[in-house]
Amino acid sequence: MRIRVRRRPRSRRTALRTGVPLTTLALAVAGCGASVTPGTTTTSLRDTAATRGTQSPGAASPTPSPTGTGTATATGTARTTPTAAATCTDQILSGMTTAQRVGELFMGGINAAKPDQAQLRILRDNHVGSVMLTGRSTAGTAATRKIVDGFRGQTDRVGGKQVGLLVATDQEGGKVQVLNGPGFSAMPNGVTQGKKSPTMLRAEAAIWAQQLKRAGVDLNLAPVADVVPASLGTRNIPIGSFQREYGNTPGPVTSHTGAFAAGFKQSGVLTTLKHFPGLGQVIGNTDTTANVVDSVTTSSSASLDPFKAGIQAGSPFVMVSSATYNKIDAKHIAAFSPTVIGQLLRGQMGFKGVVISDDIGNAVAVRSFTPAQRALDFTSAGGDMILTVRPDVIPAMAQAIQTRMGQDASYKAKVDASVRRILDAKHNAGLLQCG
């Protein structure tokens, strides 16, 4: 996955009362420093569509709390009891239009340093429920927070309640650190992190997560759980050449992905295990190369241990790669493979959280597929959230999904299950308002 950037939001209240469009608001915030307060809303095109034909949610469930009856996820914020989460999720899901449900399946990329007006409008008009800050920003936490609060203020409403926007970025360290500047530490690369003790890494990760939280970011698309063998090293273009790996054997990668995730959990930021079932054995980078193949990894390889451990610890997100794994499913890239997602990740490993794709909007690995095919193949294989650094492909993807939902009841049920998992993750991050 490529390197991406973000900026930080503050108060939304004043700006959102004006009802200005998201695109205008975000750029105005970036340009003049206007402030907005999280949690307030204004009427938008999405609000209008959202309120038609929806029903008001019933009984409320509390937002997640780090204390009390909640249990903690291994890689994110505190989790409330399953019953509370299910109740809140059901309330929101039952009131959503089809377009809103489909919108929850997407995470669209927005440049953190300079948000694009046309891209912001695409996200708003398609009810997109998650945003990834991309590129590179040196603006710091305060400026990033202002940008993020601008995004949040224009999210959809269901039954009179705002459905919180999930904001993510790539903040691994080294060459993959989107957000920089005042308030952000210069994070070392994975190889350097791997030389620290797990205890030290966990403590530092908690600090890095606090910085993201102050910037308004809910989800880090990290840690990297890929094992790059020493014999391959920097010839492994996607991971080894950038020194993104924690080690060359499963043991240190397992301990350090766990420590990184635990530190982020401590500070209330979700994390993502990536890139399942591993990019450590390939040569090509799926972002820039087609037909990237792993001819080594099997469904029982030790290199899967970091993923197994993270899933057992409660990871809420797992990112699936766009390489092909000949010894698991030679006919499909992993992101489009029912064997990889349904049988191995869901079945064998018991993962119940959100399966997110690597970028399938701009990556060369998927360019032989139309955007519509990519969306249908990923969701049909069991994937939940489509990540695209190019928002302009979202309308075609969303239309294809809506059309298929109208034609195939089993596919519609699969989409609803994905939306439920995504809303559950949002609830656990404190992003849903119920009651």
Side-chain angles (χ1 to χ4, degrees):
M1 172 178 289
R2 293 175 182 167
I3 303 168
R4 303 158 179 141
V5 191
R6 34 168 175 144
R7 293 190 183 179
R8 168 178 187 174
R10 269 186 192 165
S11 146
R12 301 175 199 154
R13 191 168 292 144
T14 302
L16 293 180
R17 283 177 184 156
T18 65
V20 293
L22 169 61
T23 55
T24 305
L25 173 63
L27 293 180
V29 166
C32 65
S35 60
V36 240
T37 301
T40 55
T41 57
T42 184
T43 301
S44 69
L45 294 178
R46 301 180 66 183
D47 295 338
T48 302
T51 53
R52 289 176 187 158
T54 59
Q55 60 187 46
S56 298
S61 66
T63 54
S65 167
T67 58
T69 60
T71 57
T73 59
T75 53
T77 55
R79 179 186 179 99
T80 54
T81 61
T83 300
T87 300
C88 184
T89 297
D90 288 342
Q91 291 174 9
I92 299 298
L93 182 61
S94 65
M96 280 183 152
T97 64
T98 298
Q100 287 178 318
R101 294 185 185 203
V102 173
E104 286 296 321
L105 302 178
F106 291 93
M107 176 180 284
I110 291 294
N111 188 284
K114 189 177 180 181
D116 179 270
Q117 292 189 40
Q119 291 180 339
L120 290 168
R121 181 171 292 279
I122 289 171
L123 298 186
R124 185 190 66 187
D125 291 349
N126 287 275
H127 313 277
V128 171
S130 300
V131 168
M132 177 186 182
L133 301 174
T134 66
R136 283 290 182 274
S137 172
T138 57
T141 54
T144 302
R145 184 59 180 255
K146 289 179 181 179
I147 292 293
V148 173
D149 279 348
F151 297 160
R152 291 196 193 281
Q154 293 286 320
T155 54
D156 272 19
R157 297 175 70 83
V158 173
K161 300 292 184 180
Q162 194 170 29
V163 180
L165 186 74
L166 185 72
V167 179
T169 197
D170 264 347
Q171 202 83 341
E172 299 172 16
K175 294 182 179 179
V176 185
Q177 181 173 344
V178 169
L179 303 178
N180 302 272
F184 289 113
S185 300
M187 298 168 60
N189 61 38
V191 170
T192 301
Q193 290 179 36
K195 294 176 180 177
K196 301 175 184 289
S197 70
T199 300
M200 179 178 292
L201 178 57
R202 174 173 176 163
E204 292 187 2
I207 294 172
W208 301 332
Q210 289 169 8
Q211 295 167 356
L212 287 185
K213 197 170 185 69
R214 286 195 290 269
V217 176
D218 310 298
L219 171 66
N220 191 4
L221 299 176
V224 171
D226 307 312
V227 179
V228 180
S231 59
L232 196 54
T234 56
R235 291 189 297 121
N236 172 258
I237 303 302
I239 310 298
S241 68
F242 295 104
Q243 297 188 303
R244 299 167 70 187
E245 73 273 24
Y246 287 118
N248 304 122
T249 57
V253 177
T254 298
S255 62
H256 286 68
T257 54
F260 187 97
F264 270 72
K265 169 199 161 183
Q266 179 181 326
S267 296
V269 177
L270 302 171
T271 52
T272 307
L273 295 172
K274 66 184 187 184
H275 309 77
F276 189 82
L279 285 176
Q281 294 283 359
V282 305
I283 299 296
N285 185 342
T286 56
D287 283 332
T288 57
T289 307
N291 303 315
V292 175
V293 176
D294 176 334
S295 298
V296 176
T297 304
T298 70
S299 59
S300 59
S301 291
S303 60
L304 296 178
D305 288 353
F307 293 101
K308 291 179 184 177
I311 289 168
Q312 290 170 1
S315 177
F317 284 77
V318 171
M319 179 181 288
V320 180
S321 89
S322 295
T324 300
Y325 297 80
N326 281 345
K327 292 189 175 181
I328 301 175
D329 181 357
K331 296 181 179 179
H332 305 90
I333 67 171
F336 300 160
S337 169
T339 302
V340 171
I341 298 176
Q343 295 181 27
L344 180 56
L345 182 55
R346 294 282 190 209
Q348 185 174 317
M349 294 193 176
F351 181 61
K352 301 184 185 304
V354 177
V355 176
I356 183 172
S357 72
D358 202 342
D359 170 44
I360 57 173
N362 193 53
V364 174
V366 296
R367 287 198 184 161
S368 62
F369 301 84
T370 66
Q373 287 175 317
R374 299 171 208 171
L376 292 175
D377 286 354
F378 176 68
T379 51
S380 296
D384 301 310
M385 183 177 286
I386 297 167
L387 172 60
T388 170
V389 299
R390 285 181 51 190
D392 62 297
V393 301
I394 291 176
M397 289 180 165
Q399 183 57 58
I401 292 172
Q402 286 196 56
T403 299
R404 178 67 60 85
M405 289 174 70
Q407 299 170 339
D408 186 338
S410 63
Y411 178 79
K412 180 180 182 299
K414 185 172 289 189
V415 168
D416 286 345
S418 290
V419 176
R420 186 181 300 278
R421 282 188 283 266
I422 292 166
L423 292 178
D424 222 6
K426 286 188 172 186
H427 181 270
N428 293 337
L431 296 174
L432 295 188
Q433 300 176 16
C434 294

